[in-house]
Amino acid sequence: MGKGGKSHEEASIGEEENMAAWLVGLNTLKIQPFKLPPLGPRDVRVRMKAVGICGSDVHYLKTLRLADFVVKEPMVIGHECAGIIEEVGGEVKNLVPGDRVALEPGISCWRCDLCKEGRYNLCPEMKFFATPPVHGSLANQVVHPADLCFKLPDNVSLEEGAMCEPLSVGVHACRRANIGPGKNVLVMGAGPIGLVTMLAARAFGAPRIVVVDVDDNRLSVAKDLGADGVVKVSTNMQEFGDFDIAQLKDVPEEVERICKVMGAGVDVSFDCAGFNKTMSTALSATRAGGKVCLVGMGHSEMTVPLTPAAAREVDIIGIFRYKNTWPLCLEFLRSGKIDVKPLITHRYGFSQKEVEEAFETSARGGNAIKVMFNL
């Protein structure tokens, strides 16, 4: 089950009973005992203090699966997290008890070709918090490799440390797309990932950023966070069923509005939703020779107008999670180049009732952006 924890039957560390939020069935979460594995020489034991709810956590709760990952047995949920070191293994030199840390949730093998190339986020043996069958981090304590725990600067809170995980997605996307001064950016989708991608693009030097969404409230948040322009589009996305060209009937007019608001060519578009319509809009709005980065995964398969985009040499790139992002995220937070605090809209404690309410709030959407547990 990975470093995060093991089954009920294995012995726990210490006298205090460790508790965690277990996904035990469809739409069913229960706080139950969570036995920790022995502390390895290069591991640390961390008391969780801040854990955010991700869209993938909600998806597992609602469907017990995400893409090819299927929950087949009870699993501890959660992977956006920060806490305080309580114990360190004998070979750990860079951390001591009392240190506040943000945890990178994926443990790669470091032996495969992808790991050796530095692309460890693509490791086929990755053990990632709350990705079946690996347990997550919505628990009193977890055990994790020390080299995946990053000490927080004094002026960065534990909640901000937990936000390094979603922020890492935006940072990785900006690196993949080579965002810098002179690159005008379009962000499709103003959900949590769209918003952190917008913040990351600004920190990387993008001079002009336009955000597109179907929801007025989220567009207002994007504007407040620094978007240079926002565009509201129709909800005619046809998320389910077979593709029909009628889905795209609004795209030409919406692309025209996007380009008008941008006031210049769109150099890079980030599709942070991942639907037929959002990707089609991104491909059509991006200038010849530009890039489209697919970040969101709303559809497992998409039908989009590739031929016109190819004729304009629009490059399409994808991302999967992130790599080597925590140090830069923490520097952005420390320096004030990025402020993630406004994204945290709801806070809950760690009780059975509050866990259930928190996930309901996150699933409902509305004015909820990031729902955070304070343990």
Side-chain angles (χ1 to χ4, degrees):
M1 285 291 185
K3 288 291 183 184
K6 297 191 177 182
S7 65
H8 288 288
E9 289 75 21
E10 296 180 76
S12 63
I13 295 174
E15 296 179 0
E16 177 188 355
E17 187 168 39
N18 191 42
M19 305 298 285
W22 290 77
L23 175 58
V24 297
L26 199 63
N27 294 314
T28 307
L29 291 164
K30 289 187 178 180
I31 294 182
Q32 299 179 156
F34 179 38
K35 309 301 183 180
L36 294 179
L39 190 74
R42 298 177 184 175
D43 294 336
V44 293
R45 181 162 52 87
V46 186
R47 180 167 293 276
M48 291 289 95
K49 289 296 183 180
V51 181
I53 298 178
C54 175
S56 65
D57 295 322
V58 175
H59 209 77
Y60 283 125
L61 175 64
K62 298 297 181 182
T63 68
L64 296 182
R65 68 178 302 145
L66 182 64
D68 293 331
F69 297 104
V70 181
V71 180
K72 297 179 180 178
E73 58 185 25
M75 178 185 77
V76 176
I77 204 77
H79 62 270
E80 303 177 359
C81 55
I84 299 174
I85 301 290
E86 292 217 325
E87 185 180 5
V88 302
E91 297 180 17
V92 176
K93 306 300 181 186
N94 61 321
L95 295 169
V96 298
D99 282 344
R100 301 177 312 126
V101 294
L103 283 67
E104 181 172 352
I107 307 171
S108 55
C109 75
W110 293 116
R111 295 184 299 274
C112 69
D113 289 343
L114 286 164
C115 282
K116 290 176 181 178
E117 291 170 9
R119 304 185 74 177
Y120 67 85
N121 56 309
L122 304 179
C123 174
E125 302 299 322
M126 177 72 77
K127 294 181 175 64
F128 195 93
F129 276 155
T131 299
V134 182
H135 289 309
S137 58
L138 184 48
N140 297 133
Q141 300 178 67
V142 300
V143 169
H144 205 54
D147 64 351
L148 295 174
C149 297
F150 298 85
K151 191 172 179 179
L152 300 182
D154 290 341
N155 65 335
V156 174
S157 71
L158 287 156
E159 286 189 339
E160 291 173 280
M163 288 294 293
C164 281
E165 199 280 338
L167 180 58
S168 285
V169 176
V171 166
H172 183 54
C174 287
R175 282 175 169 171
R176 287 274 287 155
N178 294 319
I179 298 300
K183 295 288 181 70
N184 294 318
V185 168
L186 171 66
V187 177
M188 301 295 300
I193 293 301
L195 293 173
V196 293
T197 300
M198 181 197 78
L199 293 173
R202 180 69 81 211
F204 274 83
R208 187 159 181 81
I209 304 172
V210 171
V211 178
V212 174
D213 202 276
V214 301
D215 184 83
D216 285 319
N217 179 66
R218 293 199 169 191
L219 289 175
S220 176
V221 172
K223 192 71 174 174
D224 291 343
L225 290 173
D228 298 291
V230 296
V231 177
K232 184 178 181 181
V233 294
S234 75
T235 56
N236 181 30
M237 290 196 293
Q238 297 286 327
E239 295 180 24
F240 303 102
D242 294 333
F243 178 79
D244 186 325
I245 196 65
Q247 293 178 42
L248 306 184
K249 65 183 177 67
D250 298 327
V251 169
E253 183 270 332
E254 290 173 355
V255 167
E256 185 177 344
R257 285 197 286 126
I258 289 167
C259 292
K260 184 177 181 179
V261 171
M262 181 67 76
V266 175
D267 298 298
V268 178
S269 293
F270 294 101
D271 182 358
C272 297
F275 297 115
N276 288 323
K277 187 185 175 187
T278 53
M279 191 62 173
S280 297
T281 302
L283 288 168
S284 299
T286 304
R287 67 165 177 83
K291 290 185 175 73
V292 173
C293 181
L294 179 57
V295 181
M297 296 183 180
H299 280 151
S300 58
E301 295 182 359
M302 285 191 282
T303 303
V304 296
L306 281 180
T307 303
R312 294 183 294 114
E313 293 193 356
V314 174
D315 293 337
I316 301 172
I317 56 178
I319 71 159
F320 185 63
R321 293 173 178 158
Y322 32 68
K323 61 184 180 72
N324 301 317
T325 51
W326 260 253
L328 182 56
C329 288
L330 289 171
E331 175 55 24
F332 280 153
L333 296 175
R334 184 203 66 77
S335 65
K337 280 191 173 182
I338 290 180
D339 182 8
V340 294
K341 294 188 292 294
L343 298 179
I344 305 170
T345 55
H346 294 74
R347 293 173 173 85
Y348 291 87
F350 189 53
S351 68
Q352 180 67 41
K353 180 181 178 182
E354 287 178 289
V355 166
E356 292 172 356
E357 290 179 352
F359 272 85
E360 287 173 7
T361 298
S362 185
R364 198 163 47 239
N367 65 344
I369 299 175
K370 180 57 60 178
V371 177
M372 185 74 64
F373 289 104
N374 295 132
L375 284 76

